[in-house]
Amino acid sequence: MPSNAWLGGSRILQFLSIIYIGSWLRLFFVAAQGLFCSSVTFSALNHFVSKEFQPLSSATVRTSLIISENLRPLRGKFAVVYENSALVNRTQKSFLAGKLIHAIVPASVLYVLIDELGRKVFRGSSLFGYWDEAFLLLCFLVILIERWTDRENRLSTSPIDSGMAIFIAIAFAHMINVGFFRDVAFEGFRVVAQYMLFYFVISRWVTTDDRAKTLLTGLLMVVGTLSVHGLLQYVFQVQTPASWTDAAEKTVGTRVFSIVESPNILGSMMVLFLPMAFALFMNKERKPLWRLVLLGITGSMGLCVLLTQSRGAWLGLLIALVIFCLLVRPVWLLLLTGGAFASLLVPTVYARISYMLTPQFVASSQRGGRMLRYQTGLQMFFDRPFTGLGLGHFGGAVAMNHKDLFPTTFYMDNYWLKTLVEMGLPGLIGYMFLMGLLLVWGLRAVKAAEKKGNKMLAAGAMAGLTGVVLHNFLENIFEVPYMVVYFWTVAALLMYWGFGIAKAASLKKDV
């Protein structure tokens, strides 16, 4: 039976809704929306985001079709050998083996748990460090077998395949030609490119709504669990390192970090998934119990990102929610504005924000904080603008792991600037092109998803991705493997919700 607090809250919301419906403010918004929707600007924007994805316009798709056609005889022989294999027949007859094989790719939702907990349990084992490479190869093997035995002849492709291929090619060429230490350059290339490849895995595996639902549910359960764990850290006042706050800043209490050992990374995970959790909660077709669970997940994520006290995550979440409101219902911006001001009533939030406006913060930042780091990074770029220093040679985890070679290195706290310093202008342009493709086609995917009834969910994915892209201007978010994996997993889901899966058979006629 609902509690009095729940009923009271519902009545308050109903009362405020009635007031708003009859207010001048609503009339203003309705008039403004009408004027904007009838404007030339809206018409141009609507035409831009309504552009449909045409696979044959992509050189990548055409090339893959030609290769696929030439490999058709080999694929046919492989399918025969595969289907007649004794090992395959035994595996198919085994219920457990079949379940395990089908669970390989979805197991990527557990990436953060395996990576963080595994490194703690197998701290003394060097072999554990190769688990992610082994897992990626296993996922590719599953996709290869599915594709080569696919009777429906589906062609999994997306508008951002070419952008990712171009950026990885630039990084590969850079690894070969630039850098004082080849082994470090290779390691830097691996960190940049390896985890992006999960986009190709997920985008090829998600061929049905059930598979997309499985991934999204698993991701929300994992990240929701981390948020609850973060809240428990706050309740039990888990001690956090003093280095996580400025020495001149007054104490801000516990900064939650769950198992990821970084409030900024935990906050960024919340930024990525909170809009989608809220979008699912707002779907009234869901079962009441599942909606209640989603409400709890959304609320715990919101509290968790607040308690990380990560200003970068706060900014990323604010931008993400603004994007979400604009895509779904602009009038929600009023509630968002009220919520943003209400959050300033929390003492620790106000202290973190107000400290940024003090001379002490500016002096500290210039002395050893982000301002000094950004100035140093820009100077390094100007010294080698076209080649950069080399992948893994400065500003990130690889360089920090080779302090003997780079004693003056530090975390750049800006992934875009780190890319510029390491790869020069070609690398930054390639990375900007990739992210530009993602955001442009992400908007178009949201528009296309409207026809399939997935607009709010697609808008949540688009909002989360945008928030993380912007958060990377203040942190090295993509230095963390599972953040890259989760980011591109959400991107693959967004492209599926928008454009679905094409059939190679229907495209081959036009090649």
Side-chain angles (χ1 to χ4, degrees):
M1 189 173 182
S3 65
N4 292 332
W6 180 280
L7 291 173
S10 299
R11 289 168 182 166
I12 291 174
L13 289 177
Q14 291 176 1
F15 178 70
L16 292 176
S17 177
I18 293 172
I19 292 177
Y20 171 73
I21 290 174
S23 67
W24 285 99
L25 185 61
R26 177 180 176 276
L27 293 176
F28 171 77
F29 272 102
V30 170
Q33 183 177 351
L35 289 173
F36 178 70
C37 290
S38 61
S39 67
V40 177
T41 302
F42 175 81
S43 178
L45 287 174
N46 188 56
H47 176 73
F48 179 75
V49 300
S50 298
K51 182 178 180 180
E52 296 182 359
F53 174 50
Q54 300 176 344
L56 288 178
S57 65
S58 168
T60 306
V61 174
R62 288 182 172 274
T63 302
S64 66
L65 284 175
I66 293 172
I67 295 174
S68 178
E69 184 66 21
N70 291 330
L71 291 177
R72 184 179 292 275
L74 181 61
R75 291 178 59 182
K77 293 179 181 179
F78 175 82
V80 172
V81 172
Y82 178 81
E83 292 172 356
N84 294 328
S85 169
L87 178 62
V88 172
N89 290 329
R90 291 177 183 175
T91 302
Q92 291 176 341
K93 292 178 181 178
S94 171
F95 176 80
L96 179 60
K99 290 293 183 181
L100 288 175
I101 291 174
H102 285 96
I104 289 175
V105 175
S108 59
V109 304
L110 302 174
Y111 209 107
V112 60
L113 302 179
I114 298 172
D115 197 55
E116 289 291 350
L117 297 179
R119 292 183 189 279
K120 292 178 175 63
V121 174
F122 301 102
R123 188 183 300 272
S125 174
S126 59
L127 289 177
F128 181 77
Y130 296 101
W131 84 268
D132 43 2
E133 286 85 358
F135 179 64
L136 179 59
L137 289 174
L138 190 60
C139 288
F140 267 114
L141 180 61
V142 170
I143 299 302
L144 179 65
I145 293 174
E146 280 197 357
R147 284 292 166 266
W148 280 37
T149 57
D150 183 14
R151 298 300 184 184
E152 295 184 35
N153 204 22
R154 290 169 295 193
L155 178 68
S156 296
T157 183
S158 81
I160 63 176
D161 286 355
S162 57
M164 185 169 289
I166 289 172
F167 178 69
I168 292 176
I170 291 173
F172 182 78
H174 194 276
M175 175 194 71
I176 295 175
N177 295 290
V178 182
F180 299 103
F181 305 98
R182 297 301 181 193
D183 56 335
V184 175
F186 174 76
E187 192 175 344
F189 169 76
R190 183 187 65 81
V191 170
V192 167
Q194 174 179 320
Y195 306 104
M196 282 186 173
L197 296 178
F198 274 93
Y199 174 78
F200 294 104
V201 170
I202 302 300
S203 61
R204 272 62 183 170
W205 186 81
V206 180
T207 56
T208 64
D209 290 345
D210 286 340
R211 287 189 169 187
K213 181 181 177 181
T214 297
L215 275 181
L216 181 58
T217 302
L219 288 168
L220 291 180
M221 290 296 103
V222 169
V223 180
T225 301
L226 294 183
S227 68
V228 172
H229 183 234
L231 297 182
L232 291 175
Q233 286 179 329
Y234 182 80
V235 170
F236 291 104
Q237 294 294 295
V238 174
Q239 186 176 2
T240 53
S243 59
W244 288 357
T245 55
D246 197 303
E249 189 175 2
K250 294 181 179 179
T251 179
V252 293
T254 299
R255 294 188 64 187
V256 301
F257 55 93
S258 188
I259 66 171
V260 304
E261 299 183 347
S262 169
N264 297 315
I265 299 303
L266 181 62
S268 198
M269 293 180 73
M270 302 302 119
V271 171
L272 181 59
F273 291 104
L274 189 150
M276 285 186 292
F278 179 73
L280 282 176
F281 163 71
M282 291 300 295
N283 187 341
K284 296 181 180 179
E285 296 179 1
R286 305 280 174 182
K287 295 181 179 180
L289 181 60
W290 178 229
R291 290 191 70 195
L292 186 62
V293 172
L294 288 169
L295 177 61
I297 291 175
T298 305
S300 65
M301 285 183 180
L303 285 174
C304 184
V305 71
L306 200 67
L307 296 175
T308 61
Q309 301 191 47
S310 169
R311 288 179 287 236
W314 293 345
L315 178 61
L317 181 61
L318 178 62
I319 298 300
L321 293 179
V322 168
I323 295 295
F324 182 77
C325 293
L326 289 174
L327 291 175
V328 176
R329 195 167 297 174
V331 72
W332 287 354
L333 288 172
L334 290 174
L335 295 175
L336 179 60
T337 303
F341 279 109
S343 66
L344 294 176
L345 299 177
V346 180
T348 53
V349 174
Y350 179 78
R352 293 281 286 171
I353 298 297
S354 62
Y355 177 66
M356 294 177 61
L357 306 177
T358 64
Q360 291 89 342
F361 174 80
V362 176
S364 177
S365 185
Q366 291 176 337
R367 185 171 57 251
R370 282 184 173 83
M371 290 186 184
L372 177 62
R373 297 182 182 193
Y374 295 168
Q375 290 172 1
T376 305
L378 287 173
Q379 185 57 54
M380 289 180 172
F381 160 69
F382 289 132
D383 291 340
R384 302 186 68 177
F386 299 106
T387 62
L389 296 178
L391 282 167
H393 281 57
F394 197 84
V398 176
M400 292 293 287
N401 290 334
H402 294 87
K403 289 284 284 187
D404 55 327
L405 300 178
F406 315 108
T408 61
T409 193
F410 49 76
Y411 278 106
M412 190 65 71
D413 287 341
N414 183 325
Y415 192 80
W416 293 80
L417 184 54
K418 170 191 169 292
T419 301
L420 182 63
V421 172
E422 286 192 337
M423 299 178 65
L425 282 174
L428 182 65
I429 292 172
Y431 186 68
M432 290 176 64
F433 178 66
L434 171 60
M435 289 301 163
L437 277 181
L438 173 61
L439 297 182
V440 168
W441 282 104
L443 284 174
R444 291 170 175 169
V446 173
K447 182 69 175 179
E450 186 175 6
K451 303 175 184 177
K452 306 173 185 179
N454 288 330
K455 180 181 178 180
M456 188 174 291
L457 188 55
M462 178 63 189
L465 292 171
T466 306
V468 175
V469 169
L470 294 175
H471 194 187
N472 260 318
F473 279 99
L474 299 172
E475 302 289 346
N476 286 5
I477 299 301
F478 284 173
E479 283 284 297
V480 181
Y482 43 81
M483 276 306 303
V484 184
V485 173
Y486 288 161
F487 180 89
W488 290 111
T489 296
V490 173
L493 288 172
L494 174 58
M495 294 302 147
Y496 172 77
W497 289 324
F499 307 116
I501 297 296
K503 295 292 181 65
S506 63
L507 296 176
K508 194 182 70 172
K509 301 175 184 179
D510 303 320
V511 176

